[in-house]
Amino acid sequence: MLEDKLYSLFGFQSFKPGQKDIIEQLMAGKDVLAMLPTGRGKSLCYQLPGLLSEGLTIVVSPLLSLMEDQVQQLKSQGIRRVATLNSFTNKEERKWLISHLSKIKLLYTSPEMLQSDELINRLKSIHISYFIIDEAHCVSYWGHDFRADYLRLKDVRDDFKMPPCLAITATASPSVRQDIIKELALKDPFFYIESVNRENILLAVEEMNSQVDKVNRLVEYIQSYESPALVYVQTRAQAEYYSHKLQVESTIRVGFYHGGMENAERMLIQQQFMNGQLDVVCATSAFGMGLNKENIRYVIHLHCPLDIASYVQEIGRAGRDGKPSFAVLLTTPEDKYYAHQLVERGKLSEIDWAWALGTLQGGLPFKSESFESIVETINGDQARTAVFLLEQWGVIKNGMVQAFAITDVAVKLRNHFDINVKRQKKRLESAITYAYGTEQCKRGQLLHYFNEEPISQKPCCNVCGLDLGPFRKDKRKKKENETLLNAKEELKRIFGIERSCGHGN
């Protein structure tokens, strides 16, 4: 029985809702598209069948930290035949791993790594049991924009003779689900789609008059409510700024996390947060995907979300233990305009594309790195997707540049990315309605985005009535914190320093 294997391998006596259905369909050879809420145990849905199979299961994951975290968790449970292969794998490790793939049960890797001829040729000689796309919404969100290798995955799967595919995520609107099916070439997939509603997470939105008010409100939340907590920001500079601000203005242990940090630094912050050595992490969206910390009590966003699906996924990192938690969105009037600017960032004109294409000459080898560098110089991050499109349109064939009309191809590239920006703008409008609309139930708005019926529950959100009192720190602890904060203020007054009592990162 599957329950016996579940217990012997993972120590669980029963499946969570949806897990067994997904596993049975996948093991029966069906393609599966599954949407399970954050914290529902998505990884088990492919880890168990992968470990029970005769061959190798490939798990395509979007982030290095997500791969490493899952592999370390499995190894800590005594499951050794798992490995990661990504851009941080050194040459010697990569060579050894590729030569020993037949001994591996679960291989975590990235879409980009699966473009390696060396790896693909080796994998072709091995039986591939399952092809897993974790965080499958990235296929639609990133593939059409800056990570085109997500769109190449169906060709990779074809190289492996189309093993059963599981595309799994926590959030995907109906249109995104259809795009996933198309881009992964899923054949008559089994659907398991669960509601995105997390009834134990209470929702609040507050519009501040200014950025200063927003900062003060953030400090008030951090000082008043029980941690652990996550604070999401939009930029790397903001992650560092708010972390420093909270160190100075409160007594909590805080760190920051963003994609510009060294890998070792990022891993350290994540481990400190997981181990309870940090109370709060101020982070960009690079942090948290796949984060397996059950007791996060609240999540605060300090910006207007760019889309509802990402927001739902990020707030879903709270309350994974099923206990009451809350999510707060703090905005100012100008945040919505900044969000529009972010959607438009990196957008290249027809002239920009024509200039980049002008460096290509028919009959000569195509140098991908050179072309990508030129596009990035113009301030665009769509270079890899542009290369994918040039191959699809026949401009690049067998590594050679074919004769082409620069103006015509430049127009096609501009149109492709314009369409993608329009998709992003449509998603943004729903997010702005959530962030700045004052009359509709917040939970109802989130559910409506996913074509779900509204749910009546108490407590719910700030529109329906909300009391966050039960989440406050107890008075004794609050008094101790105030004493420490007063001591810090006194040191600042006497010595003129701000970080004498701050916590290191």
Side-chain angles (χ1 to χ4, degrees), residues 395-431:
V395 175
I396 303 166
K397 187 179 296 184
N398 298 323
M400 301 294 291
V401 180
Q402 309 300 305
F404 69 99
I406 290 179
T407 301
D408 292 347
V409 175
V411 170
K412 290 177 70 175
L413 284 171
R414 182 205 64 196
N415 289 343
H416 171 87
F417 291 108
D418 279 355
I419 291 171
N420 195 52
V421 168
K422 288 178 181 177
R423 288 196 200 102
Q424 294 175 16
K425 284 183 176 179
K426 187 175 181 180
R427 294 170 183 161
L428 175 58
E429 288 306 316
S430 296

Side-chain angles (χ1 to χ4, degrees), residues 201-206 221 325-328 443 458-471:
I201 301 178
L202 311 182
L203 306 173
V205 178
E206 298 182 34
Y221 267 109
S325 308
F326 66 92
V328 177
R443 193 174 306 274
K458 295 290 183 179
C460 178
C461 69
N462 62 294
V463 175
C464 300
L466 189 62
D467 177 18
L468 296 181
F471 297 96

